[in-house]
Amino acid sequence: MPQVLGGFEHRVLLVLMRLGGSGYAVPVVRELERLENRTVAPAAVYVTLRRLERRGLLTSSMEPPGPGEGGRERRVFRVEPSTVEVLRAARADLARLWKGLEALEP
Amino acid sequence: MRGARLARLLLRPFLGKADASEAVADLEELAGEKGPFEAHWYFWWAVMGYPARVVVDAVRKPLDLLGSRGWRGIGGGRRNSGREGTMEGMIRDIWYALRSLQRNPAFTAMTIGILALSTGTAVAIFSVVDQVLLEPLPFDEPDALRSVWLRHDDGSRTRMTPGNVRDLETLDNVFEGVAGFQGSTAALGTTGGTIAIRGGAVTPGYFATLGVEPLHGRTFDPEHGVVGAARVVILGQRLWEREFSADPRVVGRVVDLGGASAEVLGVVPESLYPTSVALSGELPFTDTNQDFFVPLTFSEEFWGSRRSHILGAVVRLRDGVTAAQADEALSALTMQLRETDPLNRSESLEASSFEEEVVGDVRFALLSLLGTMGLVLIIAAVNVGALFLLRGDDRTSEISIRRALGSSSAHVVRQFLVEAAIVASAASMGALVVGRVTIAVMQSLVPYQIPRLSAVHLGADSAIPLIAVGAALALLLGVVPAWRALRMQQVRGTRAVTASRAQRRLHGSIVGVQAALGVIVIVGAVLLVRSFNELRVVDLGFSERQTWVFEVRGAGDRMSDVVREVRALPGVASAAIAYDHPLARNWGDGFRIEGQARPEGTPGPSGSLRAVGTDYFTTVGIDVVEGRLPDELDLAAAPLMVINAALRDTHFPDGGAVGSTISVPTAARMFGEDASSFTVAAVVENVRFLGPENDSEPAFYLPLSHFQVSGSNLLVRSEDPGAEVVARVRNVIEAAAPGSAANSARRLEDIVFDMTARPRFNMMLLVTFAGMVLLLCGLGVYGLVGRSVVSRLREIGIRMALGADQTDVASSVMRTALKPIVLGCVAGLGAAWALSGLVQSLLFGVSPTDPLSYLLSALFMTAVAVVATVVPTVRALMVDPAHSLRGD
């Protein structure tokens, strides 16, 4: 059965890809807020990241802060190579749905 | 971020320890990017988002797993491979529990509401007791601090004289430090205008004795206490933060203090500094007199005086010196003074624990509130326990079906436990909110009458016991009903249960116990309400209506112009100046009545000295009982004084008070011997200076113009109750005396209101408790009778079919409820009677065994029980015999 992505899951995964394929919760919240220009509940990002991990779309590990970052260990989430396929499939699904509706595009 | 620990504790049950720490750290990082105010708000908003989302996610979880790899795939997950099976079971349990609770909204709301209200209030009161009474005072080794005062041989207690404070310093083998102090007020020039501030005038060793290190700068040196020394001031932390934006560079700056410049020597941290001291030797702590400290600058001669009782004293014991040894040294000093000094012949030096002075008189009230709250908590727990038990009993058939479908007993117990845990955690979260609100309400009721109350907060320390209590309760509420339900299921199988006689008896005794405990609380509340009513109707001896008190600092000689102009204002009925308002704790002084010989070796009588101006008595409505008030109460006019009835009755039992001559040493000290004798012009009504619960002490009123005081009060009686007059008076003060601070205008009525803040606080809390108790008992009775009616529908049907009339049925139903209530009330009243001695000290004008209060309490309880039985009784009366016989 193919993986179906929820709307928020989809967006969180895309943001992680933009962050270079990995990152912890704080940059994800920040980037989402910047791109969508609205406040994002950190709790929503928290549960989504863990749900995606549960579903095998992400892996995570505790890692020390990178050079120049603040001083605590944090859980860093990584996008699995297979997940990129899931994202592509989701995009293709959307594209299929859009086919024939070109008149609506700006 | 403040509160991070609390947030971690809150999130831990939902996220686990490691994830909760991680999430809070994330939030702190995100909040750090916001402004200081927004950060706090954002942080808590984000914290609150977690529980709901985690629960929703948990419910969705099985679907996710199904969506990805199906149920079988669980074991192959990357994390938690061994635990996932139990996790899944747990999630299903939570899901069922949520649904089951949702199906029974009345039960869910009632249990969560009762638990949240009762534990929240309990935690709030516990926090107050903990932080007001149990935490050590914020001084270095506070146990070594003792306050010292004088005890007259007649048993009364009074303030120290400067000479006696000096005497204490001679005991330097016992005391490491001796501090003397008195209250002080001043006008402080700030960028925003002149403001009135309150603090203390203290001996140079004050801070060293208390063991306080300044936040910035330094404290007083011995030379600061010498007459003519450069003027210096030490700021309290709160004033420094409020008026100087917490700028450490304020040290060394010169400020305008009372019209003269003074150098800021340092800033001391917020604490419980003793500043004012009551005539009766108490140290009345208020948060509002901690603004500033100046050195006491008495002349050497005045430091030898043993006549003016104006100072408070605190001493620090040397290392290794015990309180008993210090008391011995004080007794020895007392003996020596009694021989050498006539003024100390009938006085003893006594010491008491400083902590006791600060929190002693609120300790009992707070502990009794805590005890009462404990009773309410027990009642609430019993009530919720009963609700869970009944619900468990009702679910016997559900459990039978589950067992038949293969659930194990352990699983049934777990199911019950999960439901109880959900209720307990929802209640704990509600309790945090209730607790915070309760503390805020308490702080607004008694803003400064309880030391340290304003700083009380609901911290993690209080939340931990709350969570522990919640967990223990969940265990109890889960296991016991499950066990009972399982047992009943074994006995009865899948037949629907009817409440057995044993069950009804159990429920009846639960209601009885509730009523018994509840009546104790209600008796307490009724007694306090009646006592407060007595307090309220006490005649204070003056009329506070439509009178305003303006605190004026720095106006100096211009005050007489001000009061003249104010009198001419439209809307002003009368105006006068006075050192303070009638309920202020003024200083006391000894006096001598000309022509009355005093027994050899006694120090002579003393009384409360009140310095007032012309028209004072008409303005505050104090009636004349003898003689005639002088037109002008002014030294320039004539050396006249006014005494109160208590002084007349004590010292002129045979009459002749008016016209007699009284000399007052304070006046002699200030103006020389020729200005110290006054002729009594009139006797006025007693005023209860120390509040309605204290009798009036002997007092004499002297013209304010005798005294060099740094500030005074303008009392204005308005012709109408509105506040229009305030602005007009302020304008006059500003025009006549620019720069003087008239920032505080208070209604005399508000001052009277504040005087009764503590008894009102006790009363309101107890009334709230009583309300909770009545509600809980009502719910208990409702549950009992309701169930009893349901289980007896068949029996009632038969009885009615056989011709029983409605009255019989109604009374039989009522009996079910009223029997345990009446028995409970009797037991409770007995217990209240036995405990009555405890509340004695909180009462005024009402006996703790006041029969009317007991009767009223029992009536309240019974009335609530009767109301609670109305609905079930009506239901019983509407039973259709044919229908109920057909059923089952």
Side-chain angles (χ1 to χ4, degrees), chain B residues 350-367:
Chain B
E350 280 190 20
S352 59
S353 145
F354 178 61
E355 183 176 6
E356 199 56 32
E357 290 298 322
V358 176
V359 295
D361 60 338
V362 298
R363 171 172 293 140
F364 181 72
L366 286 183
L367 288 182

Side-chain angles (χ1 to χ4, degrees), chain A residues 3 50-59 78 80 82-83, chain B residues 68-69 78:
Chain A
Q3 293 265 17
R50 272 152 183 79
R51 190 179 329 120
L52 289 169
E53 184 186 17
R54 208 160 60 219
R55 293 177 53 181
L57 294 167
L58 297 176
T59 54
R78 246 172 229 92
E80 291 284 276
S82 58
T83 308
Chain B
S68 57
R69 282 167 236 169
R78 249 168 271 260

Side-chain angles (χ1 to χ4, degrees), chain B residues 154 339 360 410 415 465 495 568 765 810:
Chain B
D154 66 6
E339 281 180 13
Q415 185 62 46
R495 267 194 59 217
L765 274 182

Side-chain angles (χ1 to χ4, degrees), chain B residues 35-109:
Chain B
F37 175 74
E38 201 196 341
H40 210 72
W41 192 90
Y42 173 84
F43 179 79
W44 284 108
W45 163 78
V47 166
M48 289 306 151
Y50 281 82
R53 283 179 201 268
V54 167
V55 170
V56 170
D57 188 54
V59 172
R60 280 188 55 174
K61 213 181 265 182
L63 300 176
D64 287 343
L65 294 167
L66 208 58
S68 57
R69 282 167 236 169
W71 293 101
R72 290 264 155 228
I74 298 164
R78 249 168 271 260
R79 290 170 75 203
N80 308 329
S81 49
R83 284 195 344 239
E84 199 68 42
T86 49
M87 277 299 287
E88 180 211 328
M90 197 69 194
I91 290 154
R92 219 169 26 214
D93 283 347
I94 293 175
W95 180 232
Y96 281 138
L98 284 174
R99 268 192 16 204
S100 146
L101 289 172
Q102 189 200 350
R103 267 202 306 269
N104 204 339
F107 167 83
T108 312

Side-chain angles (χ1 to χ4, degrees), chain B residues 582-783:
Chain B
L583 289 175
R585 295 167 184 261
N586 274 18
W587 67 84
D589 215 334
F591 57 88
R592 200 169 62 241
I593 301 167
E594 301 288 321
Q596 280 193 12
R598 80 160 183 257
E600 187 58 34
T602 60
S606 65
S608 172
L609 189 165
R610 329 280 307 180
V612 301
T614 310
D615 277 357
Y616 173 79
F617 299 98
T618 29
T619 306
V620 295
I622 301 176
D623 292 335
V624 181
V625 293
E626 195 183 331
R628 193 176 121 352
L629 282 180
D631 295 332
E632 291 269 328
L633 202 54
D634 194 334
L635 186 63
L640 295 175
M641 79 178 339
V642 173
I643 62 173
N644 73 351
L647 194 150
R648 178 194 61 181
D649 298 341
T650 321
H651 299 290
F652 300 94
D654 309 322
V658 172
S660 64
T661 307
I662 292 178
S663 60
V664 181
T666 305
R669 176 165 61 80
M670 286 184 167
F671 304 100
E673 209 53 59
D674 55 334
S676 70
S677 289
F678 301 86
T679 307
V680 176
V683 180
V684 292
E685 199 63 70
N686 286 331
V687 170
R688 290 177 181 249
F689 304 116
L690 301 176
E693 62 268 65
N694 294 299
D695 279 336
S696 182
E697 54 190 342
F700 47 95
Y701 296 86
L702 290 181
L704 180 66
S705 52
H706 273 285
F707 301 94
Q708 292 165 330
V709 286
S710 60
S712 54
N713 282 269
L714 178 64
L715 294 130
V716 178
R717 176 167 298 240
S718 157
E719 279 170 349
D720 51 65
E724 301 81 25
V725 77
V726 173
R728 287 186 216 132
V729 172
R730 280 219 172 110
N731 286 341
V732 170
I733 296 174
E734 202 46 49
S740 73
N743 54 342
S744 90
R746 299 173 71 197
R747 283 178 193 274
L748 199 47
E749 282 160 285
D750 292 342
I751 295 172
V752 172
F753 187 82
D754 276 359
M755 271 247 140
T756 50
R758 262 201 222 162
R760 185 180 311 109
F761 171 78
N762 294 341
M763 176 194 72
M764 289 179 80
L765 274 182
L766 226 61
V767 167
T768 312
F769 292 166
M772 283 164 75
V773 162
L774 283 174
L775 185 74
L776 288 173
C777 290
L779 285 176
V781 171
Y782 177 79

Side-chain angles (χ1 to χ4, degrees), chain B residues 121-135:
Chain B
T121 323
V123 166
I125 292 184
F126 177 75
S127 304
V128 170
V129 168
D130 179 41
Q131 289 165 50
V132 170
L133 295 184
L134 305 182
E135 254 178 39

Side-chain angles (χ1 to χ4, degrees), chain B residues 364-365 368-369 371-373 375-376 515-533 759-771 773-774 828-844 846-858 860-861:
Chain B
F364 181 72
S368 8
L369 288 177
T372 317
M373 190 57 229
L375 282 183
V376 177
L517 295 174
V519 158
I520 302 178
V521 177
I522 298 168
V523 166
V526 172
L527 281 173
L528 282 196
V529 170
R530 284 177 43 83
S531 154
F532 187 74
N533 246 345
R760 185 180 311 109
F761 171 78
N762 294 341
M763 176 194 72
M764 289 179 80
L765 274 182
L766 226 61
V767 167
T768 312
F769 292 166
V773 162
L774 283 174
L829 290 181
W833 193 282
L835 294 170
S836 62
L838 288 178
V839 288
Q840 177 92 57
S841 68
L842 294 180
L843 298 180
F844 173 85
V846 177
S847 149
T849 53
D850 175 51
L852 182 61
S853 304
Y854 282 63
L855 189 67
L856 278 175
S857 309
F860 277 137
M861 182 58 91

